[in-house]
């Protein structure tokens, strides 16, 4: 179902992001491979969102390069879901169709793909409702459905559950599992350690704009390598 | 002569369905609404484009558009008059003292209002939509179209502001239209004429009719928007 030419792995090569002379991220070099779910973990202000935006191309690095090493077309095979979902002032269905139209999908395909995505998100009955009257959890599921319809190879999620209640968090995590099962690479930020343990196969731990460690999740939570990660797991404020 | 007298005169004009009055009202609405439509056709995409495209001189264009909101109607009228007069560059078209000339003048007056307000609305909405549209790799043109559509309810207010400007002004249409009876006489030019002739009651009566029409159009737009925006979330 997914586009054949792979775009992963994704490599950061000596990447920094500097605003007004202040270095907010980096310098960082690392690689993110396919399949495994990567969770970017760290306290507020650690640079998690910057890392995602650099990777997705929403902001350009001040130095260094963000490289897609797989050879596939990286422009059309990524999707991103934001902490506060950006929903258009249109119906639920039209929100998905709009995204597909921008991808150059024809009208008939658009409708069937959008319907399929709504079914995947359990939003079929809300298709004709204005998107912005949905509850917070439904809005985030719609954002995920919209990403699903795009059939990405990689999905970036920026704190997708930060403002949701527990049951909404669960349904969002279930949808993320669905992406993973379909072979979509997951890269997600969170400051919630429980969620990082549930969703992550691999942890990238950031602190003050620096990549402190990149380790498999089980290793990270049992035997963190860095003192910052140890303090974070112990709940000691890192600032 | 008092206000009440004028009121009764106005009521008489409307109740008697004075043919001349009807003609003036129809011509006024035709000129004003056509000018607003033309101004929207130019101003909506222009405002959207200035909000999103990055080009040298963009700041200057923004300031110019904002400043042109305050163009004096008589000056616009004068410039259009010169352009359309027999000896002017567009004189061969023979448009001077026609409704078309009045539409051209009012389009020039209204376009900056539509463009400037649209630019601000679209720029604000871009703050909200920008990352999503860039994530989807939307082109600038696609983004402008998306934002114009999603701002449609706010943009109705913009069109109303433009209509307010067109229906209220007298200076430009007086100069390029000439206030010719049965040809280019509008509500505002009639009021100016009747006032200068000393027919204050009739002038005031016409003024009341003009005000009622403006109120009706705004009310219509308000209820249209309220109905469409039941989708409260859309507004």
């Amino acid at each position: 179902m997914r586009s054949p030419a792979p775009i992963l792995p994704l490599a950061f090569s000596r990447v920094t992001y500097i605003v007004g002379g202040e270095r907010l991220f980096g310098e960082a070099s690392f690689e993110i491979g396919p399949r495994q779910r990567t969770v970017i973990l760290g306290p507020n202000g650690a640079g998690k969102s910057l890392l995602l935006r650099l990777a997705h191309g929403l902001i350009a690095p001040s130095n260094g390069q963000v490289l897609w090493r797989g050879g596939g077309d990286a422009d059309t095979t990524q999707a991103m879901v934001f902490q506060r979902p950006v929903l258009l002032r249109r119906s639920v269905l039209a929100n998905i169709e709009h995204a597909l139209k921008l991808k150059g999908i024809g009208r008939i395909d658009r409708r069937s793909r959008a319907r399929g995505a709504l079914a995947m998100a359990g939003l079929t009955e809300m298709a004709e409702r204005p998107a912005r009257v949905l509850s917070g959890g439904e809005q985030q599921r719609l954002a995920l459905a919209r990403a699903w319809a795009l059939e990405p190879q990689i999905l970036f999620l920026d704190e997708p559950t930060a403002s949701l209640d527990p049951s909404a968090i669960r349904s969002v995590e279930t949808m993320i599992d669905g992406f993973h099962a379909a072979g979509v690479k997951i890269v997600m930020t969170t400051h919630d350690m429980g969620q990082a343990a549930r969703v992550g196969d691999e942890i990238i731990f950031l602190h003050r704009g620096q990549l402190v460690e990149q380790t498999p999740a089980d290793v990270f939570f049992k035997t963190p390598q860095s003192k910052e990660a140890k303090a974070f797991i112990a709940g000691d404020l890192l600032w | 002569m008092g206000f009440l007298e004028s009121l009764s005169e106005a009521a008489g004009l409307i109740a008697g369905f004075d043919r001349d009055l009807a003609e003036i009202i129809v011509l006024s609405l035709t000129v004003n609404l056509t000018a607003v439509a033309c101004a929207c056709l130019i101003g909506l995409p222009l405002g959207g484009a200035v909000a999103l495209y990055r080009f040298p001189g963009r700041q200057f264009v923004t300031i110019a558009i904002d400043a042109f909101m305050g163009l004096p109607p008589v000056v616009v009228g004068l410039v259009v008059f010169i352009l359309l007069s027999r000896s002017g560059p567009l004189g061969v078209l023979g448009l001077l003292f026609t409704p078309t000339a009045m539409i051209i003048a009012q389009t020039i007056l209204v376009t900056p209002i539509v463009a400037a307000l649209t630019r601000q609305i679209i720029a604000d909405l871009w703050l909200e939509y920008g990352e999503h549209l860039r994530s989807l790799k939307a082109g600038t043109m696609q983004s402008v179209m998306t934002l114009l559509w999603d701002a449609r309810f706010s943009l109705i207010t913009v069109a109303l502001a433009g209509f307010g400007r067109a229906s209220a002004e007298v200076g430009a249409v007086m100069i390029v239209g000439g206030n010719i009876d049965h040809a280019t006489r509008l509500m505002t030019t009639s009021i100016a004429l009747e006032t200068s002739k000393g027919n204050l009651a009739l002038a005031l009566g016409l003024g009341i009719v003009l005000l009622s029409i403006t109120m009706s159009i705004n009310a219509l737009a308000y209820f249209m928007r309220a109905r469409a925006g039941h989708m409260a979330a859309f507004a």
Side-chain angles (χ1 to χ4, degrees):
Chain A
M1 144 182 198
R2 304 292 155 188
S3 158
I7 60 169
L8 289 157
L10 165 65
F12 273 47
S13 168
R14 303 173 66 88
V15 170
T16 58
Y17 186 68
I18 299 166
V19 174
E22 190 182 356
R23 187 187 293 190
L24 300 179
F25 180 83
E27 165 182 319
S29 298
F30 60 93
E31 193 169 289
I32 296 178
R35 285 184 294 281
Q36 282 198 325
R37 291 164 297 181
T38 301
V39 168
I40 321 286
L41 189 63
N44 289 330
K48 304 187 293 291
S49 293
L50 285 179
L51 189 156
L52 277 198
R53 282 165 173 72
L54 286 163
H56 189 38
L58 291 179
I59 52 178
S62 307
N63 293 297
Q65 284 179 298
V66 176
L67 301 161
W68 295 93
R69 291 233 164 101
D73 177 9
D75 271 357
T76 57
T77 46
Q78 308 176 36
M80 182 153 173
V81 168
F82 300 92
Q83 178 175 344
R84 290 206 318 202
V86 181
L87 297 181
L88 308 187
R89 288 153 172 79
R90 311 179 185 205
S91 73
V92 166
L93 187 66
N95 260 274
I96 301 182
E97 289 185 341
H98 173 264
L100 291 172
K101 188 177 175 193
L102 289 184
K103 290 282 172 195
I105 311 289
R107 185 181 293 270
I108 297 163
D109 270 5
R110 282 210 289 273
R111 183 56 52 98
S112 66
R113 267 167 81 164
R115 292 266 177 207
L118 285 182
M120 187 267 188
L123 292 171
T124 300
E125 263 126 62
M126 308 196 173
E128 302 307 327
R129 281 199 209 165
R132 295 160 68 91
V133 302
L134 300 184
S135 73
E138 289 163 347
Q139 291 199 5
Q140 197 56 287
R141 268 154 57 205
L142 172 55
L144 281 158
R146 187 167 57 189
W148 177 264
L150 297 173
E151 299 182 358
Q153 287 187 26
I154 182 167
L155 174 65
F156 295 102
L157 301 124
D158 188 12
E159 306 250 4
T161 61
S163 46
L164 300 182
D165 66 35
S167 74
I169 290 175
R170 205 166 139 186
S171 59
V172 165
E173 287 183 3
T174 304
M175 283 187 74
I176 295 171
D177 287 345
F179 278 93
H180 178 57
V184 181
K185 166 77 183 183
I186 301 292
V187 180
M188 174 172 133
T189 65
T190 184
H191 58 260
D192 175 349
M193 268 191 300
Q195 183 168 56
R198 286 193 300 275
V199 175
D201 300 314
E202 172 192 56
I203 305 289
I204 289 179
F205 183 73
L206 296 182
H207 182 228
R208 293 184 181 163
Q210 298 297 319
L211 188 151
V212 178
E213 64 177 281
Q214 179 178 21
T215 38
D218 46 355
V219 174
F220 179 85
F221 289 110
K222 275 184 210 141
T223 53
Q225 308 296 301
S226 58
K227 67 177 186 346
E228 291 90 347
K230 273 182 197 138
F232 184 72
I233 291 171
D236 296 335
L237 256 191
L238 276 179
W239 202 246
Chain B
M1 173 202 44
F3 191 71
L4 280 179
E5 198 183 325
S6 320
L7 272 183
S8 75
E9 178 131 14
L13 278 172
I14 299 164
F17 195 70
D18 186 84
R19 275 185 66 95
D20 287 352
L21 176 64
E23 195 184 356
I24 290 172
I25 292 174
V26 168
L27 183 63
S28 295
L29 285 177
T30 308
V31 168
N32 297 158
L33 291 175
T34 310
V36 170
C38 293
C40 285
L41 228 51
I42 303 165
L44 291 177
L46 178 64
V50 174
L52 257 56
Y53 280 98
R54 297 284 175 269
F55 54 91
R58 176 166 165 271
Q59 249 182 337
F60 174 78
V61 172
T62 303
I63 293 169
I65 291 174
D66 286 352
F68 285 170
M69 283 200 287
L71 280 177
V74 284
V75 174
V76 170
L78 176 63
V79 171
V80 175
F81 183 93
I82 292 168
L83 290 175
L84 295 182
S85 66
R86 282 280 165 226
S87 53
L90 300 175
V92 287
L93 300 175
L95 289 176
L96 199 60
F97 304 132
T98 66
T100 308
M102 299 193 288
I103 290 170
I104 292 171
Q106 291 206 329
T107 300
I108 294 172
L109 280 172
V110 175
T111 298
I113 293 180
V114 174
L117 298 179
T118 300
R119 189 201 63 75
Q120 189 61 53
I121 288 170
I122 297 303
D124 289 345
L125 196 56
W126 173 250
L127 292 181
E128 185 189 332
Y129 282 19
E131 283 203 319
H132 172 61
L133 290 172
R134 278 177 28 234
S135 169
L136 291 170
K137 301 278 186 282
T140 308
M141 175 73 94
Q142 290 171 319
S143 297
V144 170
M145 299 308 288
T146 300
L147 293 166
L148 283 176
W149 177 251
D150 274 52
R152 58 201 179 277
F153 297 108
S154 309
L155 295 176
I156 290 176
T157 309
V158 172
L160 283 178
F163 177 75
R165 167 85 151 164
S167 64
E169 76 87 18
V170 57
V173 287
M174 182 74 93
I175 293 176
V176 302
N179 193 24
I180 301 164
D181 204 6
H182 300 298
T184 57
R185 181 156 300 171
L186 304 186
M187 303 289 297
T188 53
T189 56
S190 310
I191 293 170
L193 178 69
E194 296 305 333
T195 304
S196 65
K197 286 189 345 199
N199 292 334
L200 296 188
L202 180 57
L204 198 53
L206 285 165
I208 291 164
V209 174
L210 176 59
L211 202 60
S212 324
I213 291 172
T214 307
M215 293 277 279
S216 312
I217 287 183
N218 278 275
L220 190 72
Y222 177 86
F223 288 115
M224 261 171 51
R225 200 169 39 167
R227 265 189 69 173
H230 85 97
M231 314 205 142
F234 283 0

